[in-house]
Amino acid sequence: LFRSAFAMNDRDQPEPRVIRSVEGIQSPVLSVSWNCSCTRLAAAVENGAIRIWNVKVDVSTQLIDQAIRFLELDKHEAGKMHIAWSPTHADILVSVSEDKTIRLYDVISGESNHLTTADANSLVVWKPDGLSFLVGDIRGKLTRFDLREGNSLQNITSTASYQHNSP
């Protein structure tokens, strides 16, 4: 499968080839993420927006057959952003930004919540069980946020921080 996604050059090295493009983004793309059911594609763009497309995938080729713009989420104020869909809930997306905020969205209900952090955030990754996620900041700190408190987007709690200290 990996080899079939790449054409081979004269040195037998894989060369990526464009299979399908999603149009309509006017700013540089900072982060892209598929939801767990492969029905939505989200892109964080430099102007602070997050754009989401409903995606139809061709069953025989597993390639994007159609991408229809679904919605645009609340903008972050500034800076680089990173996004990640929940690995267990196809409609839950988290975003982090250098604007010192974390935003959690339910894209179907429209419910959202945001938290302010002490430092600019640079990345986010979900735990595979979908119950918590880690946020990395520019100072090298990872903070875990837990969603189990009452199973509501309003009850995000910071449960632990990990700091790398160089000798």
Side-chain angles (χ1 to χ4, degrees), residues 119 135-143 160-167:
D119 291 304
V135 173
D137 69 27
I138 62 168
R139 295 186 186 270
K141 183 174 73 173
L142 293 172
T143 304
S161 291
Y162 312 94
Q163 181 78 41
H164 172 71
N165 296 319
S166 299

Side-chain angles (χ1 to χ4, degrees), residues 3-163:
R3 279 180 140 328
S4 68
F6 293 90
M8 301 303 277
N9 65 21
D10 59 350
R11 296 180 322 274
D12 289 331
Q13 297 296 314
E15 288 184 357
R17 61 186 165 138
V18 175
I19 297 171
R20 178 87 60 196
S21 295
V22 177
E23 303 293 330
I25 302 173
Q26 305 303 320
S27 297
V29 176
L30 303 174
S31 180
V32 178
S33 184
W34 285 99
N35 73 349
C36 61
S37 63
C38 294
T39 56
R40 290 202 176 85
L41 181 65
V45 294
E46 192 174 59
N47 70 0
I50 299 170
R51 297 206 173 102
I52 298 176
W53 291 265
N54 281 332
V55 177
K56 180 180 172 191
V57 175
D58 184 307
V59 176
S60 63
T61 63
Q62 296 298 307
L63 302 176
I64 297 174
D65 186 44
Q66 184 179 27
I68 300 170
R69 190 157 166 190
F70 177 59
L71 75 116
E72 187 168 313
L73 300 174
D74 296 337
K75 288 186 174 187
H76 280 273
E77 294 298 316
K80 295 191 173 151
M81 299 169 42
H82 191 256
I83 56 175
W85 288 97
S86 165
T88 58
H89 296 90
D91 302 319
I92 303 295
L93 178 75
V94 65
S95 65
V96 299
S97 172
E98 288 180 339
D99 68 1
K100 299 182 181 181
T101 63
I102 300 168
R103 295 179 186 266
L104 189 67
Y105 307 92
D106 180 327
V107 299
I108 296 299
S109 72
E111 183 181 2
S112 66
N113 190 23
H114 75 276
L115 301 169
T116 303
T117 58
D119 291 304
N121 305 299
S122 57
L123 68 94
V124 60
V125 63
W126 284 88
K127 187 175 176 195
D129 65 10
L131 297 175
S132 63
F133 56 88
L134 282 175
V135 173
D137 69 27
I138 62 168
R139 295 186 186 270
K141 183 174 73 173
L142 293 172
T143 304
R144 186 174 75 144
F145 293 88
D146 198 322
L147 299 177
R148 285 178 278 202
E149 299 281 326
N151 203 19
S152 167
L153 299 184
Q154 304 303 321
N155 293 322
I156 304 170
T157 57
S158 173
T159 57
S161 291
Y162 312 94
Q163 181 78 41

